[in-house]
Amino acid sequence: MMVEYFFGLLATFVVLLLAYAIRILREYERGVVFILGRFQSVKGPGLVIIIPFIQTMEKVDLRTIVMDVPSQDVISRDNVSVKVNAVVYFRVMDPQKAIINVEHYYEAVSQLAQTTLRSVLGKHELDEMLAERDKLNQDIQGILDQSSDNWGIKVSNVEIKHVDIDESMIRAIARQAEAERSRRAKVIHAEGESQAAAKLTDAAEELSKNPNAMTLRYLQTLIDIAGEKNSTIVFPLPVDMIGSIMDQFKSKNS
């Protein structure tokens, strides 16, 4: 009875050792193997044998990780308080550095992304945050990629998802946008008046070259008015005649 019990314990121990020693890594996984606490090699994918009590292994996922950066309170350069969140895409390029050089690479990248997001956006005004997202994304991605290079991490992309503005600030921005549209409308109207005046000046110079041209213009105007089927009666009177009458009137009064 004792012999059977002993062999049963021995068989259980062997099964446990085999379960610990035999590791199967998927195509996207790598194993960082340590022997007596010292780094030995990076193994995988496939079947990996680990010597019990002598070797240990840490698995690392090589797939691209999508990390959501929590909403951050940011004060822009023009003193506007906004809440900004983003998403970071990164992957482990060097499993050895990701395990040895940093304790938890996911948490490290998350904290680095949050501080970098606040630091970069705090140097820009609100209008730049809203209009130049692509440039800000590239700036943040470059800083994260450079800072995490020693961890064996490659940051491939950063996207700012939302820029939430306070309700009072939204109303102020709406008033600013309305004033800007009004200013542009006035400028466009003034430019139209200037161009129209220039064209009229050119037309007057062209008509002054031939006295009969003004008479033809009068006749064309009468045709246009008659075509509208109204009872308006127009008597064209040359401007020069009016000018001579006014001069005679002034001379009599003097």
Side-chain angles (χ1 to χ4, degrees):
M1 188 67 179
M2 292 295 296
V3 175
E4 294 178 356
Y5 181 73
F6 174 76
F7 279 108
L9 289 178
L10 182 60
T12 303
F13 182 71
V14 171
V15 171
L16 292 176
L17 286 180
L18 291 176
Y20 178 84
I22 299 176
R23 306 290 180 88
I24 298 177
L25 300 179
R26 297 181 178 89
E27 183 65 31
Y28 55 82
E29 292 179 332
R30 297 295 183 271
V32 181
V33 179
F34 297 88
I35 180 168
L36 297 177
R38 296 178 63 87
F39 170 75
Q40 182 184 16
S41 63
V42 177
K43 296 184 178 182
L47 180 65
V48 178
I49 304 298
I50 300 297
I51 302 174
F53 308 111
I54 302 296
Q55 292 179 321
T56 57
M57 186 183 73
E58 295 284 345
K59 287 198 301 184
V60 179
D61 195 325
L62 300 184
R63 293 176 295 181
T64 298
I65 299 174
V66 182
M67 182 182 66
D68 187 38
V69 180
S71 180
Q72 302 295 308
D73 292 324
V74 179
I75 298 178
S76 64
R77 194 173 64 179
D78 51 348
N79 296 322
V80 178
S81 179
V82 296
K83 289 183 178 294
V84 183
N85 65 338
V87 60
V88 178
Y89 298 85
F90 70 94
R91 61 178 300 185
V92 177
M93 302 299 295
D94 190 336
Q96 177 184 350
K97 290 182 179 180
I99 295 299
I100 296 177
N101 291 356
V102 62
E103 184 177 2
H104 298 291
Y105 63 86
Y106 185 90
E107 293 295 331
V109 174
S110 177
Q111 295 298 321
L112 179 62
Q114 294 178 41
T115 55
T116 303
L117 186 66
R118 292 194 298 267
S119 176
V120 172
L121 296 185
K123 298 177 182 178
H124 295 78
E125 296 182 358
L126 178 61
D127 292 342
E128 296 175 349
M129 295 184 194
L130 299 176
E132 300 180 2
R133 287 196 182 186
D134 292 339
K135 180 179 180 301
L136 295 177
N137 291 336
Q138 293 176 3
D139 293 344
I140 297 172
Q141 185 266 336
I143 295 174
L144 290 178
D145 192 31
Q146 182 179 4
S147 302
S148 61
D149 184 66
N150 192 43
W151 304 337
I153 302 295
K154 172 63 179 178
V155 179
S156 59
N157 194 16
V158 176
E159 292 290 341
I160 298 175
K161 294 198 299 184
H162 299 292
V163 178
D164 296 328
I165 310 172
D166 185 74
E167 186 68 26
S168 60
M169 186 55 61
I170 293 177
R171 292 193 295 270
I173 293 174
R175 291 194 298 269
Q176 179 184 0
E178 183 178 359
E180 178 65 19
R181 287 193 297 269
S182 177
R183 183 189 69 84
R184 292 180 181 177
K186 292 178 180 178
V187 170
I188 294 173
H189 180 72
E191 290 178 352
E193 292 291 337
S194 176
Q195 293 175 5
K199 293 298 182 181
L200 289 174
T201 301
D202 295 340
E205 292 179 355
E206 189 68 24
L207 290 173
S208 64
K209 295 178 181 179
N210 190 344
N212 296 326
M214 184 61 70
T215 303
L216 293 175
R217 185 64 183 136
Y218 284 153
L219 295 175
Q220 182 63 43
T221 304
L222 290 175
I223 293 173
D224 294 337
I225 295 175
E228 297 178 0
K229 298 180 180 181
N230 54 34
S231 59
T232 304
I233 300 175
V234 178
F235 294 96
L237 188 64
V239 177
D240 295 339
M241 183 182 294
I242 297 176
S244 61
I245 293 174
M246 294 298 295
D247 292 338
Q248 293 177 5
F249 180 76
K250 290 180 180 179
S251 62
K252 289 180 179 181
N253 293 334
S254 61

